[in-house]
Amino acid sequence: MKIIKVGEGGFPTIGKALSHVKETRENAYAAGSPTASPTACYDQSVVRNKEESIVHAENDISPTACYGQVEDIHRLAPVEIHIARGIYHEHLDITEPYITLVGAGADQTVITGNLGGYEILKDGLKRGTFRTQTVFVHTHDFTARDLTIENAAGPGHIVGQAIALYADGDRLCFENVHLKGFQDTLFTGPLPAKEVEPGGFRGTLEHTPRIN
């Protein structure tokens, strides 16, 4: 188990620590298989079955094209990111598997954002619900422990829906995690089959297949 620290002499932000994990993994796989990175495999919806060592890769991406050896898919070393006490004003996109975020306590380590759905962006459109999340988890085998995830945008009738945690994946675990917000604090995927109003799903997973 690799341990990475944030704060108190470690990485200055959680986002930088997550980027380091992703870059380290991609560099390691590139050294062994220069044709593609593990991220390319995730982006192309590689489906794994550890017990039977069966791999199905959509969009013509084969296991060997991604990793060189099928068994390498199961060798992503787990990483724990230990986050010192403090308030972290960040918006996190977590797309790498086998990562655990460990805070100093739910009342000691706070990840906070302040995006609301009514905000008008530069393109003249509303931000919308699914671009407000403070933490977005879109992977498998992820754990968060002993911390708070918060969206402090404000009351829903003023700022609109404002997600603290958007979780979409398998085997996601949250232990002693406090979720704080005003409206739509937690959203768990997948998205519904159809939006209530046009553009209602605007965001990272807007065009992904619905698996209900």
Side-chain angles (χ1 to χ4, degrees), residues 164-176:
L165 173 63
Y166 182 162
D168 191 341
D170 295 328
R171 298 179 297 281
L172 309 182
C173 182
F174 299 86
E175 303 172 359
N176 191 31

Side-chain angles (χ1 to χ4, degrees), residues 145-202:
R145 184 182 305 129
D146 299 328
L147 51 82
T148 289
I149 300 171
E150 173 186 60
N151 189 320
H157 69 280
I158 297 175
V159 304
Q161 295 171 323
I163 298 172
L165 173 63
Y166 182 162
D168 191 341
D170 295 328
R171 298 179 297 281
L172 309 182
C173 182
F174 299 86
E175 303 172 359
N176 191 31
V177 171
H178 293 183
L179 302 179
K180 294 184 177 181
F182 291 83
Q183 182 175 344
D184 285 28
T185 303
L186 170 66
F187 180 81
T188 59
L191 290 165
K194 184 176 177 56
E195 64 262 70
V196 175
E197 59 184 45
F201 291 161
R202 190 172 291 115

Side-chain angles (χ1 to χ4, degrees), residues 1-4 17-18 20-26 28-29 38 42 48 50 67 71-81 95-101 139-143:
M1 174 77 70
K2 183 176 182 180
I3 295 177
I4 296 174
L18 289 167
H20 171 75
V21 172
K22 183 175 182 178
E23 181 179 354
T24 299
R25 287 176 170 177
E26 289 184 340
Y29 279 103
Y42 302 143
R48 308 164 186 79
K50 290 183 180 179
Y67 297 98
E71 58 268 29
D72 286 347
I73 293 176
H74 309 311
R75 293 179 181 172
L76 287 169
V79 175
E80 277 194 1
I81 299 177
T95 57
E96 288 285 310
Y98 309 113
I99 288 178
T100 299
L101 300 184
T139 186
H140 58 87
D141 297 283
F142 167 82
T143 298

Side-chain angles (χ1 to χ4, degrees), residues 77-136:
V79 175
E80 277 194 1
I81 299 177
H82 290 196
I83 310 167
R85 62 183 297 178
I87 299 175
Y88 297 83
H89 297 272
E90 302 191 50
H91 292 92
L92 305 177
D93 286 353
I94 301 171
T95 57
E96 288 285 310
Y98 309 113
I99 288 178
T100 299
L101 300 184
V102 183
D107 59 343
Q108 300 291 318
T109 300
V110 179
I111 305 170
T112 184
N114 61 352
L115 301 179
Y118 288 168
E119 179 186 357
I120 303 300
L121 303 183
K122 292 180 179 180
D123 59 8
L125 299 174
K126 289 182 181 179
R127 177 176 295 279
T129 303
F130 300 103
R131 293 192 288 183
T132 65
Q133 58 270 9
T134 300
V135 175
F136 175 49

